[in-house]
Amino acid sequence: MSTASLGLLAFIAARGYEQRLHEELRRAGFTATVAQFRLAARIDEGGSRLSDLARAAQVTKQTAGFLVDQLERNGYVERHPDPSDARARLIRLAPRGLAAQQAARAAEERLDAEWADHLGPGAVAALRTALERLRPLVDPYDAPD
Amino acid sequence: MSTASLGLLAFIAARGYEQRLHEELRRAGFTATVAQFRLAARIDEGGSRLSDLARAAQVTKQTAGFLVDQLERNGYVERHPDPSDARARLIRLAPRGLAAQQAARAAEERLDAEWADHLGPGAVAALRTALERLRPLVDPYDAPD
DNA sequence: CTAGATAGTCAGCTACTCTGACGATCATGT
DNA sequence: ACATGATCGTCAGAGTAGCTGACTATCTAG
């Protein structure tokens, strides 16, 4: 009843947020799937290796490769050889990917502001603090934005 | 960097929680997929209709039916005719499903306690309050546990 | 008793994710 | 120099999860 687990509550919040974000990006003309965006969000400015991306997003290399294929086909990312390692290739955001990233950041700001409006400044700060402190506990690897 | 969106933070927390829960259930001998458990968690004590389950879990009737098929095959749920409507069938937890539900509740209590330990009593209360207040905003339908 | 809504299912498709195996390359120790 | 083992990415094959569309049976309202 009033005793939903913290996990379920976090899941519901995260799902709602992600759906809204995906919808806003779709309306802005950036048609990619949630899984694709999730992976793309981990791409470093200077380019990322597939294996690192896979680790960060917690999927296998194969899955990451599959998603990068789609993103590449749709013009969001490019693959370049890695000068420091002939086995590896650097995945970088293409211009369209950068535009999508900007749109995503703007949408996230709007959504965060909406949550802040709903909760009030103190409660939203407490929420952020709690979630940030949980992060290393639940996901020791996860690199920041 | 330190400015991850609230959505990403909630996603990371929810994913970590769900993975831990799934792992504990698996170890206890309850082998079902995350999607199956997500749906099963919505089954009402007196039985639920497929359509209601689908709405609650935010999937289509077809997807819900697919998942219930798996759950039924593995002995977690049973389908009974609905006395009040010949079109409908009531989906109820079978004994094994009830056992899994108990195990899940115990695991959730442990995980919640772990988060509370990590955050402290005040912060975890603030987290719960914030997430509960967000719930109607992001997901107007969602029925409680 | 007809018209429309609802419950569930069937068929077909797409997306995501995994395991296992593999060739190429790098790093290290001898 | 070179053998050994690890790592990078890929290919092949599979299973799960989710969708749309179409359909039958049944219920509900006029």
Side-chain angles (χ1 to χ4, degrees):
Chain A
M1 226 49 346
S2 54
T3 53
S5 74
L6 289 170
L8 178 59
L9 291 171
F11 169 74
I12 290 170
R15 179 183 59 183
Y17 192 102
E18 203 169 51
Q19 281 174 351
R20 285 281 311 273
L21 180 57
H22 187 236
E23 172 63 17
E24 298 220 7
L25 287 172
R26 200 192 56 72
R27 263 202 294 266
F30 298 111
T31 54
T33 65
V34 172
Q36 285 166 27
F37 278 132
R38 259 183 213 159
L39 195 81
R42 309 309 182 111
I43 297 173
D44 194 72
E45 180 143 12
S48 296
R49 292 189 181 179
L50 191 62
S51 299
D52 293 336
L53 238 37
R55 258 190 298 275
Q58 298 196 11
V59 296
T60 59
K61 290 187 297 179
Q62 293 88 328
T63 298
F66 173 82
L67 295 171
V68 167
D69 284 345
Q70 323 285 324
L71 288 165
E72 192 177 28
R73 200 169 303 138
N74 289 100
Y76 289 106
V77 307
E78 296 163 350
R79 292 193 224 227
H80 297 93
D82 182 341
S84 74
D85 190 334
R87 295 168 301 178
R89 309 171 70 180
L90 287 178
I91 295 147
R92 264 203 287 268
L93 285 177
R96 192 180 181 205
L98 286 167
Q101 187 182 60
Q102 282 189 299
R105 284 184 180 155
E108 283 171 350
E109 274 179 34
R110 282 196 298 279
L111 289 170
D112 279 22
E114 196 176 302
W115 281 19
D117 268 8
H118 187 74
L119 292 177
V124 79
L127 173 65
R128 170 176 291 280
T129 302
L131 290 174
E132 279 171 354
R133 280 170 51 200
L134 247 16
R135 192 172 181 172
L137 180 69
V138 300
D139 187 0
Y141 176 84
D142 222 13
D145 201 35
Chain B
M1 206 85 314
S2 55
T3 54
S5 73
L6 291 170
L8 179 58
L9 291 171
F11 169 74
I12 289 170
R15 180 182 58 182
Y17 192 101
E18 203 169 50
Q19 281 173 352
R20 283 282 310 275
L21 180 57
H22 187 235
E23 173 61 18
E24 299 221 7
L25 287 171
R26 198 192 58 71
R27 262 203 296 267
F30 299 111
T31 55
T33 65
V34 172
Q36 285 165 26
F37 279 131
R38 260 184 212 158
L39 196 80
R42 309 309 182 110
I43 297 174
D44 193 73
E45 179 143 13
S48 297
R49 292 187 181 181
L50 190 64
S51 301
D52 294 335
L53 238 37
R55 258 191 297 275
Q58 298 197 14
V59 295
T60 59
K61 290 186 296 177
Q62 293 90 327
T63 297
F66 173 80
L67 294 172
V68 167
D69 284 345
Q70 323 285 325
L71 288 166
E72 191 177 29
R73 199 168 306 137
N74 289 98
Y76 290 106
V77 307
E78 296 163 349
R79 293 193 222 227
H80 297 93
D82 183 341
S84 74
D85 189 334
R87 295 169 301 176
R89 310 171 70 179
L90 287 178
I91 295 148
R92 265 201 287 265
L93 286 177
R96 191 180 181 206
L98 285 167
Q101 187 182 61
Q102 281 188 301
R105 284 186 180 151
E108 282 171 350
E109 274 179 35
R110 281 196 299 279
L111 289 170
D112 279 22
E114 195 176 302
W115 281 20
D117 268 6
H118 186 75
L119 292 176
V124 79
L127 174 65
R128 172 177 289 282
T129 303
L131 290 174
E132 278 172 353
R133 278 170 53 201
L134 246 16
R135 190 172 183 171
L137 179 69
V138 301
D139 188 0
Y141 177 83
D142 222 12
D145 204 35

